Amino acid sequence: MENNAKAPGQDNEYIIEVNNLVKWFPVRSSFLRRAIANVRAVDGISFKIRRGQTMGLVGESGCGKSTVGRTILRLIEKTSGEVRFEGQDIFSLHREQLRRIRPKMQIVFQDPYSSLSPRIPVSEIIGEAVREHGIVPKADYDDYISYVMRACGLQEYHKDRYPHEFSGGQKQRICIARALALDPDFIVCDEPVSALDVSIQAQIINLLKNLQRDFGLTYLFISHDLSVVEHISDAVGVMYLGSMVEYADTAGLFSEPLHPYTKALFSAIPMPDPGARMNRIILQGGLPSPANPPKGCKFHTRCQNRMDICSEAPPEWAELSPGHFCACHLYNDAERGSRALENAERAKAEENAKTKQKAS
């Protein structure tokens, strides 16, 4: 799905701007290693993140959330589209230019157990990149590492210990300290609490919120836990099979979800009252393959509200109320429906022309 409309929140100051971002991974044959298909991990999404706030990104496992985060940071290369960090197109930067802005864009990974080297002490884990990028003078290096560790709830005597001596929550604090030590402006939090016990999750979420307040950080918070996303996020984007299907501020999205997929996700949120009745929406069928997504709306094979147009044309990304964006034919007016069909016909004609050209 191409989001040709304006990205959410275009009239404010934004630190991250993503426009029609696409990342496809080739599927190669076992013989001759030729590309025979593409896994459409990220298939044309657009959004913006306001400085100092948190955008949550939610969806089923395999929908492309983590690929979005890694592509934004240019840890993997894009297929097409644009990512701007503080106005700079990061994919147009040369190696030295990219190296200079690397400290400002950091990531906290999902699994603290595997993202820390077991062979070096905590002080070196946190300080290695600080030294490499010259974040502070050599004379201030040791005091700076101590300051960062205290800010993340670690003690100075932890410096000489190794990762295996810490609990899961402490290891994630080390990962956060490693990112914070580079004095970043933007951090991708890739499911940072999913591997932790529930009681520890709350501590890490509160730590992230406190650091955001104290250091003016901006987060992209990737998670499948909607309760956590609601607690930490200022705005939320919902992904399905590589596409963004809905975006709104957190209060608006949770009070009035529009897309049938969003409604199904929200119906699965556990209720704190065991006696409360839940109107659970059960999705039919399994998640389609991202290497061969359905024609038209990608969700139509599982949607209870599907119409004829859903299998013919991708829905248009539209602002249905101020700041609330959705891609669903349920909310089409005559103009949007007609435009969606025209775009589908045009895409089909282009695909047929390419096929004939290859055959000849």
Side-chain angles (χ1 to χ4, degrees), residues 260-297:
Y261 178 64
T262 309
K263 293 177 181 179
L265 284 182
F266 286 6
S267 75
I269 300 175
M271 301 291 289
D273 181 3
R277 289 192 62 183
M278 296 175 60
N279 296 320
R280 181 74 186 273
I281 300 173
I282 305 298
L283 296 179
Q284 303 299 316
L287 187 68
S289 168
N292 186 27
K295 300 293 185 183
C297 174

Side-chain angles (χ1 to χ4, degrees), residues 57-262:
L57 193 60
V58 301
E60 291 173 281
S61 295
C63 72
K65 306 185 300 294
S66 294
T67 304
V68 170
R70 285 164 169 75
T71 309
I72 287 175
L73 298 181
R74 203 175 164 182
L75 298 179
I76 53 179
E77 292 295 315
K78 66 174 183 177
T79 300
S80 64
E82 182 183 62
V83 177
R84 290 188 173 273
F85 172 69
E86 295 187 330
Q88 288 183 298
D89 181 358
I90 66 164
F91 287 99
S92 68
L93 300 179
H94 301 301
R95 177 177 294 183
E96 185 55 35
Q97 293 173 314
L98 185 61
R99 184 183 182 277
R100 285 200 294 268
I101 71 163
R102 276 285 182 218
K104 296 298 181 182
M105 305 172 68
Q106 291 297 302
I107 187 168
V108 176
F109 292 102
Q110 175 180 0
D111 185 5
Y113 299 89
S114 61
S115 60
L116 297 174
S117 172
R119 295 182 176 86
I120 58 177
V122 167
S123 60
E124 187 63 17
I125 289 173
I126 297 172
E128 183 179 19
V130 172
R131 198 163 46 240
E132 178 69 22
H133 287 278
I135 301 298
V136 293
K138 289 183 179 179
D140 300 331
Y141 171 81
D142 194 59
D143 290 340
Y144 180 72
I145 299 303
S146 299
Y147 165 72
V148 170
M149 291 179 65
R150 288 194 300 271
C152 295
L154 299 165
Q155 303 302 317
E156 193 164 357
Y157 61 81
H158 289 148
K159 282 183 177 180
D160 298 325
R161 295 187 178 180
Y162 289 80
H164 72 271
E165 300 180 69
F166 294 89
S167 66
Q170 288 175 315
K171 287 179 181 177
Q172 196 60 288
R173 289 176 185 271
I174 296 169
C175 294
I176 294 170
R178 178 175 58 187
L180 184 67
L182 290 169
D183 191 25
D185 293 322
F186 172 65
I187 299 178
V188 172
C189 301
D190 188 4
E191 304 211 33
V193 297
S194 62
L196 306 176
D197 293 339
V198 174
S199 59
I200 305 302
Q201 287 183 9
Q203 295 177 20
I204 298 300
I205 292 299
N206 289 333
L207 171 63
L208 290 171
K209 294 183 73 172
N210 291 339
L211 294 175
Q212 183 175 48
R213 179 197 63 211
D214 296 341
F215 295 91
L217 301 173
T218 303
Y219 295 139
L220 174 63
F221 192 90
I222 298 168
S223 180
H224 61 265
D225 189 330
L226 291 164
S227 301
V228 171
V229 169
E230 183 180 17
H231 181 67
I232 196 172
S233 301
D234 299 290
V236 179
V238 182
M239 283 189 69
Y240 180 80
L241 209 64
S243 297
M244 188 87 78
V245 297
E246 190 165 359
Y247 172 97
D249 65 85
T250 304
L253 190 71
F254 277 80
S255 64
E256 192 179 358
L258 298 178
H259 198 280
Y261 178 64
T262 309

